[in-house]
Amino acid sequence: MLELEHARKHFGGADGPILAVDGVSMSVHSHELLAIFGVSGSGKTTLLLLAGGLIRADSGTIRFDGSDLCTFSKRQRLAYRRTKLGFVFQGYNLAAGLTAEENVAIPLLLRGVEHRDAHRRALGALDDVGLLRRSSHIPSELSGGERQRVAIARALIGSPKLVLADEPTGNLDAQTGERVLELFSALLRERGAAAVIATHDARVVRYSDRVLGMRDGRLHEPELEQRVAVCR
């Protein structure tokens, strides 16, 4: 589904260029849940941004279903993100002044789905994550776990083929994080979507089909007994 070959990305820094992703090659298969472990600054988030078409690689290729994202126009990249992908962020990225229902409906409205249908489907998505009764609440009225569940509902409402999740449990306590992981993985399996989860939460291993480590912009395959420790 998703293939990166020798992808590189650097950013300017006060002391010179910082190579955030250093020649990464990887594949993500349909229905696969891939976990990428690494400490802060290892390049995980940049890798997700490249895969999501939010930034361009300096070199290498990134293909989704055989199409090279590096050749996409701005409009094609926008369509790719809106129709093929779902995003889950550590900071939730919910619109503060909108209700849970309105936040979840946004991806469908951006696609041109009729308002009534988009909101009907948003309520169904919130029901799937156990938050139907909280649909009229704005983010500040929700707990961290509830906000992340709203974010998951929003990511999945458009039936994406691939979900990119950046530290989805990073702002949650241990018990809430466990519940969110269990719900997230179950919904992904149910819908047949693939996912890449960038994380330092060792519990993600139990829900993953495959685990990769990331260090200094490069991927490596940790041994089974090292998987829990790779993020430390």
Side-chain angles (χ1 to χ4, degrees):
M1 176 186 295
L2 177 71
E3 296 177 283
L4 283 74
E5 289 188 0
H6 309 297
R8 292 169 62 90
K9 181 65 181 181
H10 76 276
F11 299 100
D15 298 322
I18 299 171
L19 190 56
V21 172
D22 185 6
V24 166
S25 296
M26 59 174 274
S27 297
V28 182
H29 307 288
S30 299
H31 315 300
E32 178 182 36
L33 201 163
L34 172 64
I36 299 180
F37 280 86
V39 298
S40 178
S42 60
K44 307 188 306 297
T45 297
T46 301
L47 184 62
L48 291 189
L49 294 176
L50 289 171
L54 291 164
I55 58 175
R56 289 184 180 272
D58 296 325
S59 61
T61 58
I62 303 171
R63 290 188 294 270
F64 187 89
D65 281 348
S67 298
D68 187 352
L69 300 187
C70 299
T71 67
F72 280 14
S73 66
K74 185 176 180 179
R75 177 174 293 184
Q76 287 174 315
R77 291 157 72 87
L78 184 60
Y80 163 66
R81 294 195 295 269
R82 287 183 177 176
T83 62
K84 305 294 185 182
L85 301 182
F87 294 90
V88 179
F89 302 95
Q90 177 178 355
Y92 319 123
N93 281 26
L94 301 177
L98 301 183
T99 66
E101 176 186 342
E102 290 167 336
N103 268 284
V104 174
I106 286 173
L108 297 182
L109 295 171
L110 290 174
R111 288 191 193 182
V113 174
E114 192 271 331
H115 185 273
R116 180 176 297 179
D117 186 35
H119 280 264
R120 176 186 60 80
R121 290 166 62 180
L123 289 175
L126 285 170
D127 195 19
D128 288 341
V129 298
L131 286 179
L132 182 58
R133 64 183 178 84
R134 307 284 277 168
S135 62
S136 62
H137 290 68
I138 61 174
S140 63
E141 299 171 329
L142 302 174
S143 69
E146 288 173 332
R147 277 177 272 177
Q148 196 60 293
R149 283 190 280 159
V150 172
I152 289 170
R154 181 185 58 188
L156 294 175
I157 194 172
S159 301
K161 298 184 69 174
L162 176 65
V163 176
L164 303 174
D166 190 10
E167 299 285 5
T169 61
N171 285 337
L172 306 177
D173 61 64
Q175 186 176 19
T176 303
E178 188 75 42
R179 289 199 299 266
V180 165
L181 283 174
E182 185 175 356
L183 173 67
F184 186 34
S185 62
L187 289 172
L188 288 168
R189 307 290 187 194
E190 180 182 309
R191 287 157 173 74
V196 181
I197 301 179
T199 186
H200 66 272
D201 187 343
R203 293 168 300 180
V204 175
V205 170
R206 297 201 302 274
Y207 300 93
S208 304
D209 299 307
R210 188 158 52 101
V211 178
L212 294 174
M214 193 162 194
R215 184 184 301 117
D216 298 328
R218 296 183 179 183
L219 291 178
H220 61 94
E221 294 191 18
E223 297 297 329
L224 181 61
E225 62 271 15
Q226 295 176 327
R227 289 181 182 178
V228 173
V230 72
C231 58
R232 296 174 181 168

